[in-house]
Amino acid sequence: MGIYVNPPADGFEEILKGGLYVDKTGLIEYMNGVMGTARKLTCFSRPRRFGKSFAAKMLAAYYSRGAEAKALFENLEIAKAPDFEENLNQYDVLFLDITSFLTMSGSVQEVVKELQSEVIAELKRLFPDLIEEKNRYLMKALMQIHAGTGRKFFVIIDEWDALFREAQKDEAVQKEYIQFLRSLFKSSLTAQVIAGAYMTGILPIKKYGTQSALTDFKEYTMLEPGPLAEFAGFTEAEVRYLCASHNLDFAQVSRWYDGYQFESIGHVYSPNSIIEAVYNQSISNYWTQTETYESLRIYIDLNYDGLKDAVINLIGGQRCRIDAGSFQNDMTSFKSRDDVFTLLVHLGYLAYDKKKKEVLIPNEEVRGEFVRAVKNGKRRELVKAVELSDQLLKATIDGEEEMVAHLLEEAHLANTSPKFYNNEQALRSVVLMAYLSCMDHYRRFEEIAGGKGYLDMLFLPDRDSSRPALLIELKWDKSAEEALSQIKNNQYQTAAKQYGYQGEILLVGINYNTKTKQHTCKIEHAFV
């Protein structure tokens, strides 16, 4: 066994010992099915903390000749597959973690050369007398080993796109790296030397024009997960099981972390967020522990037509239709708002509805990152929207009905085109955006059952907050008084109890009159 060649199963063994392993060995069965076929090269990209490295370590433990892994897998789903033992620890595995090479390298410009040098040196130790002494090319070394042994390699590349993220503007380094990958996977000798390959990272394979740089790879992404959708994250069934077995409220977990969805399997969750919530027995924002809002702010601050309005609408709960086809699969070649949003899908900041070709902010955890990015960004109009929201929240808590109506008017004029402000859903979007400051202090619920019907919005304060809860009912061409009466007649305030809230609650009725073009507001205090 070695560091890069035929690694042991230590990494996967540590994962199993963590005690919260969710069985994703079905991915092995898929890889066994494509091994040695025209589909043997797989690239599966997804955001940070979606289990990419876990999957790579699992595959290495299963295929590597340097691992004795039967005991690790015999109680997992893959053990039921007919070809389980046929492929178990039967391949020479080449495991390349590009992030680790970047960390150890003295220069980004030297990474590709140092990578090949390090791996070839190890191959020479493991396969003495088979590699020419002066050989500096990894593919040539693999060919010489195959010629001497007849054995093929299974190649695993973790964080394949790390160099593109680290050297975003260094085209020479990027091209050298792509040429290295092409030498491995787009050579006339690839079929002789490579039995299969699994690449994973955040970004799909770089495109030049409309063509992938590595056309022989079968790519699966957050836009097109294909047959690997169930391995992109935790499925709803898996999350329900974890919640039930660890005494977590699935409804709260779903509201905070749900939002990614694939047509073939339904809802998908970020594994990191769910595991942290289970370990800590707390629903919280775990995204900020792995990523800062700074990276998101950079993209929000870009000056593309329609970007500002779309960001406001997304934060307010709306969706945005995009064309994802022009994205070049890197972090610099942006030509439009759609390219920015497509990147944010791959980064996990946006979810993608393939059927409607629309993006949305997936959940409250990520929405909080958008709010933080806006508050600290350079786009003055977005910062103003946040400042307006701060004033609105204060006015609501202080019971200043006319000021609330005035500030809603400002939010409407600033954030919504008049031609789109034509129904109660448009009003809902404006109100959601106007109250975005609640994200810092409240949990938000929309269109939930309460009393004798369904209420529009409920904001429950954090447990350590002294702020009152807010219950908001919306009307269109009626009156704020009617909205308030509906809250009381239908006893909507009892909805707060089902989430364990007891204390002061503000009943807020809001109406928009299309003739006068004015908002009105009525506020009453109550207790639950």
Side-chain angles (χ1 to χ4, degrees):
M1 67 181 70
I3 299 172
Y4 313 112
V5 185
N6 291 334
D10 298 20
F12 184 58
E13 188 173 6
E14 281 188 0
I15 293 169
L16 293 178
K17 287 180 178 178
L20 282 176
Y21 178 70
V22 172
D23 192 339
K24 293 293 184 179
T25 55
L27 178 60
I28 298 173
E29 189 168 4
Y30 171 83
M31 295 304 300
N32 283 345
V34 299
M35 189 79 74
T37 73
R39 305 186 69 85
K40 65 180 177 293
L41 306 179
T42 299
C43 183
F44 188 18
S45 59
R46 48 204 193 276
R48 284 187 177 92
R49 303 312 185 200
F50 268 68
K52 298 187 303 297
S53 295
F54 279 21
K57 291 174 182 178
M58 175 187 73
L59 292 174
Y62 177 78
Y63 287 115
S64 173
R65 292 184 190 273
E68 295 180 4
K70 185 176 181 179
L72 299 179
F73 290 100
E74 61 186 1
N75 294 317
L76 301 176
E77 282 298 311
I78 186 60
K80 301 174 185 177
D83 56 358
F84 168 59
E85 294 198 33
E86 177 185 338
N87 293 292
L88 179 65
N89 302 139
Q90 295 300 307
Y91 288 90
D92 289 311
V93 168
L94 185 62
F95 190 106
L96 306 178
D97 180 348
I98 304 304
T99 300
S100 69
F101 283 106
L102 281 167
T103 302
M104 294 185 294
S105 177
S107 166
V108 173
Q109 286 72 28
E110 298 298 318
V111 166
V112 176
K113 293 183 179 65
E114 291 179 4
L115 182 157
Q116 295 193 82
S117 176
E118 286 281 327
V119 177
I120 289 172
E122 186 170 296
L123 287 169
K124 285 179 178 178
R125 292 193 296 272
L126 297 174
F127 299 94
D129 304 324
L130 292 180
I131 303 172
E132 294 175 359
E133 188 60 35
K134 295 183 179 181
N135 179 29
R136 295 179 290 112
Y137 301 102
L138 181 56
M139 184 55 170
K140 188 175 180 180
L142 299 181
M143 290 163 50
Q144 291 169 350
I145 292 170
H146 173 72
T149 65
R151 282 152 50 170
K152 293 185 177 184
F153 285 82
F154 184 84
V155 182
I156 300 172
I157 302 182
D158 192 13
E159 299 288 358
W160 89 269
D161 58 328
L163 192 144
F164 278 89
R165 290 183 271 120
E166 186 70 21
Q168 294 184 17
K169 298 182 180 180
D170 196 327
E171 293 186 7
V173 170
Q174 294 178 14
K175 287 183 178 179
E176 181 185 18
Y177 179 53
I178 285 293
Q179 285 303 113
F180 161 68
L181 294 177
R182 287 172 68 89
S183 73
L184 289 175
F185 304 120
K186 203 167 177 58
S187 162
S188 59
L189 297 172
T190 297
Q192 294 182 32
V193 178
I194 307 296
Y198 180 85
M199 287 205 317
T200 188
I202 296 173
L203 297 175
I205 294 171
K206 167 71 178 168
K207 286 198 292 188
Y208 292 99
T210 61
Q211 193 75 12
S212 169
L214 298 168
T215 54
D216 290 342
F217 269 86
K218 307 305 174 187
E219 284 201 76
Y220 305 107
T221 71
M222 295 299 282
L223 295 170
E224 297 275 0
L228 304 188
E230 66 179 292
F231 310 119
F234 287 172
T235 65
E236 182 173 310
E238 290 164 345
V239 174
R240 283 184 180 276
Y241 172 79
L242 287 171
C243 289
S245 56
H246 293 86
N247 198 30
L248 276 180
D249 183 343
F250 173 75
Q252 291 192 48
V253 169
S254 178
R255 186 187 67 83
W256 200 253
Y257 303 118
D258 191 13
Y260 307 97
Q261 190 169 356
F262 301 132
E263 191 174 358
S264 59
I265 64 160
H267 298 260
V268 172
Y269 296 70
S270 162
N272 179 74
S273 295
I274 299 301
I275 292 298
E276 289 300 319
V278 170
Y279 266 124
N280 296 314
Q281 286 292 291
S282 174
I283 309 299
S284 185
N285 187 346
Y286 298 109
W287 190 280
T288 54
Q289 297 178 14
T290 60
E291 188 78 15
T292 68
Y293 68 80
E294 288 292 331
S295 59
L296 176 60
R297 181 186 60 78
I298 291 169
Y299 303 115
I300 289 179
D301 284 344
L302 292 173
N303 189 26
Y304 289 108
D305 288 343
L307 181 61
K308 182 265 293 183
D309 292 336
V311 168
I312 288 175
N313 289 336
L314 288 168
I315 293 175
Q318 290 193 34
R319 293 175 168 221
C320 176
R321 188 175 175 86
I322 69 165
D323 175 9
S326 65
F327 182 56
Q328 296 298 295
N329 297 349
D330 62 31
M331 304 181 100
T332 56
S333 303
F334 303 123
K335 296 180 180 178
S336 68
R337 178 202 70 174
D338 288 356
D339 289 344
V340 175
F341 285 162
T342 304
L343 172 62
L344 294 181
V345 171
H346 293 301
L347 294 176
Y349 287 112
L350 293 175
Y352 181 69
D353 184 330
K354 179 182 175 183
K355 183 178 290 186
K356 296 181 179 179
K357 294 181 170 54
E358 293 175 338
V359 293
L360 64 151
I361 295 176
N363 52 49
E364 297 306 309
E365 182 181 41
V366 180
R367 193 184 308 275
E369 288 302 286
F370 269 86
V371 172
R372 274 181 281 277
V374 165
K375 283 185 174 180
N376 293 278
K378 297 177 181 178
R379 298 291 293 269
R380 181 59 199 166
E381 61 273 40
L382 292 177
V383 176
K384 182 180 178 181
V386 174
E387 292 172 347
L388 189 70
S389 179
D390 290 340
Q391 296 172 39
L392 178 64
L393 178 58
K394 183 179 185 302
T396 304
I397 293 174
D398 291 345
E400 298 178 5
E401 297 170 340
E402 291 186 4
M403 179 59 71
V404 169
H406 170 70
L407 292 170
L408 284 173
E409 188 72 20
E410 282 197 39
H412 162 215
L413 294 173
N415 300 330
T416 306
S417 171
K419 68 179 180 179
F420 295 121
Y421 203 59
N422 53 19
N423 55 39
E424 193 168 313
Q425 183 57 43
L427 173 62
R428 177 189 301 278
S429 179
V430 165
V431 172
L432 284 172
M433 180 61 198
Y435 278 97
L436 68 85
S437 283
C438 286
M439 295 298 304
D440 289 339
H441 313 288
Y442 289 83
R443 293 176 292 148
R444 189 186 75 196
F445 302 86
E446 294 180 58
E447 296 184 309
I448 60 171
K452 301 176 183 178
Y454 286 84
L455 57 90
D456 283 329
M457 300 177 200
L458 175 64
F459 294 92
L460 295 181
D462 295 336
R463 291 176 182 175
D464 58 351
S465 173
S466 60
R467 294 174 175 83
L470 309 178
L471 196 162
I472 301 175
E473 185 65 25
L474 307 175
K475 290 297 178 185
W476 187 266
D477 276 338
K478 293 184 180 178
S479 71
E481 288 84 359
E482 286 180 81
L484 205 58
S485 293
Q486 183 171 323
I487 292 174
K488 293 185 288 186
N489 292 339
N490 290 346
Q491 299 176 355
Y492 285 162
Q493 61 267 38
T494 60
K497 290 183 179 180
Q498 73 190 49
Y499 296 103
Y501 178 77
Q502 288 184 311
E504 184 182 10
I505 185 168
L506 299 182
L507 312 181
V508 183
I510 294 171
N511 178 67
Y512 179 73
N513 188 308
T514 57
K515 292 181 180 179
T516 64
K517 307 298 183 185
Q518 290 183 332
H519 298 79
T520 53
C521 173
K522 287 294 178 182
I523 301 173
E524 284 191 14
H525 289 257
F527 289 87
V528 292

